[in-house]
Amino acid sequence: MKKIIAVLMVALIAKPVLAQLPVYLDETKPIESRVQDALSRMTTEEKVAMCHAQSKFTSPGCPRLGIPELHMSDGPHGVRAEINWDNWGYAGWTNDSCTAFPSLTALASTWNTDLAAQYGQALAEECLYRNKNVILGPGVNIARTPLNGRNFEYMGEDPFLAATLCVPYIQAVQKNGVATCVKHYVLNDQELWRGHINVELSDRALHEIYLYPFKAAIEKGKAWSIMGAYNKIRGQHACHNDLTINKILKGDWKFDGCVITDWGGCHDTYEAAMNGLDIEMGSYTNGLTSESKFTYDDYYLAKPFLKMIKEGKVPMTVLNDKASRILRLIFRTAMNKNRGFGSMASAEHYNVARKVADEAIVLLKNENNILPLKFDDYKKILVVGENGRRTLVQAGGSSELKPKHETSPLEGISKLAPGRVKYAEGYRSGASMFGRVEVISDAVYESLRAEAVEAAKDADLVIYVGGLNKNHEQDCEAGDRTTFGLPFCQDKLIESILQVNKNFVMVLCSGNPVMMPWLKDVPAIIQTWYGGSAAGDAIADVLSGKVNPSGKLPMTYGVKLEDYGAHSFGSICYPGDSINVEYKEDVLVGYRWFDTKKIKPQFPFGFGLSYTTFEYGKPTVSTKTMSAGGNIIVRVPVKNVGSVEGKETVQLYIGDVKCSVTRPLKELKGFEKISLAPGEEKVVSFTITDDMLKFYSDRKHDWVFESGAFKAYIGSSSRDIKCTIPFTLK
Ligand code: GLC
């Protein structure tokens, strides 16, 4: 009896306490009512406080109400080492070594949406373990020029490929209660003068090329935050731009998340208030190294903003909208009780990194099938090149990482031929930190070259590991490349070695295409991007044939710089005149330019060889005429006629034969990556719908199609077209 009374007493006492649980803390209530409840309890000062940084990488919650702060971290390829509370230095923690996943250009090269999801899942687990609520990525700016210092952080030159691969990454991260912050919105397509350069371009280029991946990230990926870019767009800073934020992002796309500045991207209180900026970070710094005397209370969206609210210059509805979005972001992340605890630098994550790095590698050339290498046949292997030993997960700017594990190319290769691998540095890049590079003397270059050539004479196989290396102006934030060719006297080194040893395989580690004057003399090349922690293992996997390469180029490799659209209209088109840059190539970016202007690329977009051979059969089509709202089903059999298992990415391009506006010859509108055992055949089918036929009309300010003749191209690359199917849109 006593027990029953006791239980009743507890229930009676507990109930009122439970009943007093405020709505915003009640997990059973819908988020929107929790947001409104929290908002109704906050003061104006507390709302304003949430709209700007309180430290380098955190923004406040509402301490009085027990609403937690937001912890943000770079970057797209892994969780960056802890940075000091109030300066750009590293905190020197010993518990923040991570898994370095391959660069996003590598992920794009896999053309594998399942891997993109696995990548996002593993990254989210590391964010959870490190208590990070917002991961500052993915980056989906477009590679319009191969000189852009940050192309390695982005997903290539084609908006459809970037859109298709960023969505699963975003969905996987956010399903774990971690927010992505898709960046840099929008038109941050060069690093030179990034903080202020004003981009001028047509509405068609803006919508068909540059906004396209962001639209997918928001509408399909449901990204919870987005990072405003440093540059200006049509005269107004991207972080508080009426057209791209108010009208397009929050208007047309109905974005319900937070616009966060790039660090130092906010420049005006009233514009930031009225043009949709929600959280101001890193003001008065250069986003990488410089500090400022301004305190967080001096931020544009701090005291000056509060003053405008109090004076009625900015309506309270503006502040309430910002605060609501920030609260929603906090409820989705820091206050999301369903979040797991994550994990860090595990074998599972290393294996995800390795799988992505494996499938990212593009086999560019394989004369006489020198690859895959039978390592047991070689007694004296020489690995040449600084990239053979260099860690390529450090440097590059804010995306740099401190990996727990890392396998260099030399280590990966040495595991395949213990005791039979020698190393020669060959070239040296010198130390480099955001803007300052150690100069290497010609004498040093000469001695390194001579030493490598001598060693090559004595080897029965040379594996050259070179490329770029995320030094300043060599694939690094805050600077663009100044030449299209390889740096550090590599061309001369390569040619010198080839003169003494033709048994030569090149491993190209870079985030961008490079000029290849030695191409005809190099028997085999693999493009490996920046492969992260498992880079060396992945290179060994492919060189040895353990993995059959299946990467496809996400960007065109031109013979020379002038072959690119962005480099065909003088300096105003790239890099601009330091005030403005005009995208005169318009919608003809990347292969869209090479195809339409009939320029032969060195290696085309979508290109990648295999150790096996795929045969495409005759396509079948459901119909040759299509009406609006209808569709055409195209089926094409693909057979592996070689002797090893392989993966092939079948690509669908669509071309509008005749149109009232200039359109690219063809554009990627679909792809499917299939795995085939030797002798196996699969039928790949594509459904062509009318939205694949549309272009953005700058008269109607909307996507439209025009009836008439179209062509569907099915290819193994943008230039290796296996079949062309003409059809008509009624
Ligand atoms: C940097 C970069 C951005 C990064 C941010 C925080 O300047 O532009 O990508 O996420 O600032 O490091």
Side-chain angles (χ1 to χ4, degrees), residues 169-180:
Y169 170 118
I170 292 165
Q171 290 171 337
V173 168
Q174 298 191 162
K175 106 165 168 286
N176 289 278
V178 177
T180 57

Side-chain angles (χ1 to χ4, degrees), residues 415-472:
K415 280 190 241 174
L416 297 172
R420 287 177 285 130
V421 177
K422 284 204 172 71
Y423 175 73
E425 192 177 358
Y427 70 90
R428 187 174 298 165
S429 59
S432 146
M433 270 306 274
F434 315 134
R436 285 182 311 285
V437 187
E438 173 195 354
V439 178
I440 304 294
S441 72
D442 289 347
V444 168
Y445 277 128
E446 263 317 295
S447 70
L448 289 172
R449 189 173 66 84
E451 178 201 26
V453 170
E454 273 317 299
K457 282 176 184 164
D458 188 33
D460 50 14
L461 169 70
V462 174
I463 301 176
Y464 180 81
V465 187
L468 305 175
N469 63 9
K470 297 166 75 174
N471 274 9
H472 179 59

Side-chain angles (χ1 to χ4, degrees), residues 144-146 560-570 573-574 582-586 588-594 597 599:
R144 68 183 284 262
T145 165
K560 56 190 188 305
L561 196 56
E562 300 68 38
D563 290 349
Y564 288 85
H567 297 267
S568 303
F569 296 89
C573 185
Y574 175 83
E582 296 171 17
Y583 287 11
K584 289 178 176 294
E585 81 278 18
D586 202 66
L588 301 181
V589 173
Y591 69 90
R592 288 168 163 83
W593 175 265
F594 282 77
K597 302 296 180 184
I599 298 168

Side-chain angles (χ1 to χ4, degrees), residues 201-264:
L201 78 169
S202 73
D203 273 352
R204 284 198 59 211
L206 177 63
H207 286 268
E208 290 185 32
I209 306 293
Y210 300 98
L211 285 175
Y212 190 93
F214 287 98
K215 184 175 194 302
I218 300 301
E219 292 190 335
K220 294 193 180 118
K222 306 288 181 212
W224 290 338
S225 72
I226 189 167
M227 186 186 290
Y230 280 127
N231 52 280
K232 289 180 180 175
I233 303 160
R234 296 180 180 165
Q236 195 171 56
H237 267 287
C239 283
H240 26 82
N241 187 292
D242 182 46
L243 169 67
T244 52
I245 295 179
N246 285 343
K247 290 187 173 52
I248 295 172
L249 176 67
K250 294 187 173 179
D252 300 345
W253 301 349
K254 300 184 178 31
F255 176 59
D256 71 354
C258 285
V259 175
I260 302 172
T261 60
D262 198 338
W263 270 235

Side-chain angles (χ1 to χ4, degrees), residues 56-57 73-76 80 83 88 136-137 150 153-154 183-184 188 191 194 227 230 261-264 286-288 398-399 477:
K56 266 284 170 283
F57 282 89
S73 169
D74 288 314
R80 191 177 183 185
I83 291 205
W88 288 106
L136 302 169
R150 294 185 84 172
E153 287 188 60
Y154 306 145
K183 68 189 188 182
H184 303 87
N188 177 185
E191 287 300 293
R194 68 174 182 167
M227 186 186 290
Y230 280 127
T261 60
D262 198 338
W263 270 235
N286 67 359
L288 272 177
S398 58
S399 64
E477 182 174 340

Side-chain angles (χ1 to χ4, degrees), residues 619 624 711-714 721-726:
K624 291 249 180 166
K711 282 183 180 170
Y713 303 84
I714 306 281
I721 298 302
K722 304 295 186 181
C723 50
T724 302
I725 301 148

Side-chain angles (χ1 to χ4, degrees), residues 493-511:
L493 169 64
I494 291 163
E495 276 147 12
S496 309
I497 294 173
L498 283 164
Q499 274 157 19
V500 302
N501 196 325
K502 293 274 181 259
N503 240 356
F504 182 106
V505 172
M506 176 180 282
V507 176
L508 203 49
C509 308
S510 72

